[in-house]
Amino acid sequence: MLNFEYFTPTKVVFGKDAEKDVGRLILENSAKKILLHYGSGSVKKTGLLDRIKKSLDENSLEYVELGGVKPNPRLSLVYEGIELGKREKVDFILAIGGGSVIDSAKAIAYGIKDEGDVWDFFAKKRLASSALPIGVVLTIAAAGSEMSNSSVITNEDGLIKCSYNDNLSRPKFAIMNPTLTMTLPDYQTACGCVDILMHTMERYFVPGDAMEITDSIAEALMKTVMVNAKILKKDPQNYKARADVMWASSLSHNGLTGCGQGNGDWATHGLEHELSALYDVAHGAGLAAIWGSWARYVHKDCLPRFKKFATNVMGIQPVSSEEETAIKGIEAMEDFYRSIDMPISIKELNVFPTEKELELMAHKCSLVAGGAKGIAKVLHEKDMLEIYKMANK
Ligand code: NZQ
Ligand code: ZN
């Protein structure tokens, strides 16, 4: 096992009507003027935005607002938010939404405190020295950004999707009311479940000895998400299933499932980010479309972990050949993806890249990663292209 640091400073307020506490939670952070940041309309349709404004009014908090965040959030809106935030002298950002809104809020939070171009951080040119505090009212269980140190932004100039990871951006609080996720389209619920699983799988498929406690937590988390994803497919209004999935989304990406395992593999995420940058697909669906091909390409280099995954998570009876057991585990995960209507190939995403576009994605993916990505097997540009070709069926 490896040494680790575990840092999760986010206060979680979980349960029915939890958003009623938003004014109080902001006051705890000594803020006075808030930037309310949200997406393309769901928070207005559900009445959530009005309820939040009411809580802010009751606590005599001033606010300005900036909606319009799109899935795979764009840099241009981040710039708009930075300008607005500086002009209005906001001292806190409240993200109301999912990963896209939270990530956009995090980028704005860096930018308001900085005199230069916020994209520098995402382009890995320099590190942020501070960030405005942010809070979250979560409306979709998926990205885990409500407790993570990560922000993922797409620069429209070149369609470059990059992440910047820094503890400065970890939210001060995350309000999680599972009921808020009941208005999600089924497709988004399923995409979210895939992303949650993947955040744990990226940390599970690692070489060397792992901590048994971390593995046990990770395996329980993955099994819980799969069971509840199937329940939600039939019964989207099931509160208990919504609650299990919502808490899993945070635990999957706040560092807990990586303690002692190093930083994780993250190749599937890197490969997916190029897909969603170029074709604007939902992140979770993109991950499902790539994962099986990645797993088949790398499993021989990380066989003990794939075997453990097959038996402990997917319930496969081990056969004498480790490799065969591993493959059965990969197939079982793909069967699960299918069972919740997720794609297991790029074509099933309804995008049809040409050979040249596959080459472009592999090239960009390796550039963003600084040449190589992954630890289950280290992937270079040619390996990335092979995986894209395998997935493009
Ligand atoms: O914009 P609105 O109208 O709110 O609609 C959203 C959006 O269309 C909708 N939605 C959200 N909550 C809803 C709802 N619709 C009805 N009822 C609700 N309660 O769902 C759609 C997807 O929202 P989005 O925020 O994009 O989803 P998600 O949370 O999956 O975030 C995806 C983004 O997060 C990044 C992804 O790459 C992608 O850009 N990630 C961020 C990470 C992080 N910061 O730690 C880690 C992840 O690996 C991931 O890369
Ligand atoms: Zn993800």
Side-chain angles (χ1 to χ4, degrees), residues 135-148:
V136 172
V137 180
L138 190 65
T139 65
I140 171 173
S145 187
E146 65 277 6
M147 288 183 88
S148 84

Side-chain angles (χ1 to χ4, degrees), residues 346-357:
I346 294 178
K347 285 203 168 59
E348 288 180 20
L349 275 172
N350 273 328
V351 297
F352 305 95
T354 61
E355 184 83 22
K356 277 262 161 296
E357 285 167 336

